[in-house]
Amino acid sequence: MAQRARVLIDSIDERGLVYRISKVFFETGLNIDSNREFVDKEAGKFFMRSVVTGDFDEHRLQSDLEAVVPQGANVRVITPRRKRIVLMATKESHALGDILIRHADAELEAEIPVVIANRDTLRPLVERFEIPFVHIPAEGLSREEHEAKVLAELDKYDFDYIVLAKYMRILTPGFVSRYPGRILNIHHSFLPAFVGANPYKQAYERGVKIIGATAHFVTDDLDEGPIIAQDVIPVNHRFDWRDMQRAGRDVEKVVLSRALDLVLSDRVFIHGNKTIVF
């Protein structure tokens, strides 16, 4: 049975890269099922994602590719598999519930070993899906003390990504540095204009005409990491702030699921503080 691999390459740009890479595929006897490439001309960076099938040795293929691309290139030969994601939440159910339903319906290319939350509110929802739920309360603890307990719990699991499904605590740089490029977050698109506990009420009072959501990788810059996916919907004067909030939550769960699908299928390159998405 033929193997399948996703080949991701990013490097400095130079002439002939697509030819040399494709030549390796041809000489290895591989079929190119799909291929996309992009060049950031300002940065002089080349990005390419290929899906190939055939009989091959993964390590040999990676070595052969590394031999034909510029020094310092990042070459990844990835065998498709169901990745493992840890979900973190607080008390809002919309983003978490959507992911749990998609997982239960086999629409998610991932396994969920655990849900970790700083409130116990969502335990009944999570346990309905027969997924372990771990409550780590933050009351009476500093951020660092609480995160130490969360990290100790995370160390029990083998996982690829952490998904913050409306986890309403700010992560410290120490936490973020443990998982670079591996933490996804979702937030409403009003930032930085409307901050605080009730941004939808602020937006209603300001008379905004669109609301939306942004899914991004987490960095030390709060809610300013590389963007993976975004979307907006129109609203008008007939919406009160609660209507806006309901509509905003719908957008948030759709955008987070879209971003998660892109990451799980290895379609996202982090490029500085932005992403290249194929």
Side-chain angles (χ1 to χ4, degrees), residues 115-171:
V115 175
I116 298 173
N118 62 305
R119 301 280 186 90
D120 207 41
T121 311
L122 298 171
R123 181 185 295 276
L125 171 65
V126 175
E127 293 184 344
R128 199 174 303 165
F129 292 89
E130 299 182 346
I131 292 174
F133 180 90
V134 176
H135 174 215
I136 304 178
E139 288 74 13
L141 300 176
S142 68
R143 270 204 298 166
E144 291 77 11
E145 289 170 336
H146 182 253
E147 284 187 358
K149 291 179 178 291
V150 174
L151 289 169
E153 185 65 28
L154 288 170
D155 285 343
K156 299 176 183 178
Y157 304 93
D158 177 30
F159 61 90
D160 298 282
Y161 293 99
I162 297 171
V163 179
L164 306 182
K166 302 301 290 182
Y167 181 69
M168 305 306 289
R169 289 183 62 83
I170 298 172
L171 300 177

Side-chain angles (χ1 to χ4, degrees), residues 8-12 45-48 72-76 269:
L8 278 62
I9 299 173
D10 62 276
S11 73
I12 60 171
K45 285 277 291 184
F46 169 86
F47 301 87
M48 182 168 171
N74 185 23
V75 178
R76 289 175 284 167
F269 292 81

Side-chain angles (χ1 to χ4, degrees), residues 97-108 129 256-258 260-261:
D98 184 67
I99 293 173
L100 294 176
I101 290 170
R102 295 181 66 235
H103 176 264
D105 289 344
E107 295 178 1
L108 193 67
F129 292 89
L256 180 58
S257 288
R258 185 183 306 155
L260 189 53
D261 282 340

Side-chain angles (χ1 to χ4, degrees), residues 221-251:
D221 297 317
L222 180 63
D223 291 327
E224 295 183 11
I227 294 169
I228 307 166
Q230 293 178 298
D231 203 357
V232 296
I233 59 172
V235 295
N236 57 43
H237 58 276
R238 294 183 177 87
F239 284 67
D240 64 24
W241 71 265
R242 293 177 181 84
D243 295 329
M244 287 186 176
Q245 186 179 61
R246 282 191 290 269
R249 287 172 174 170
D250 285 343
V251 179

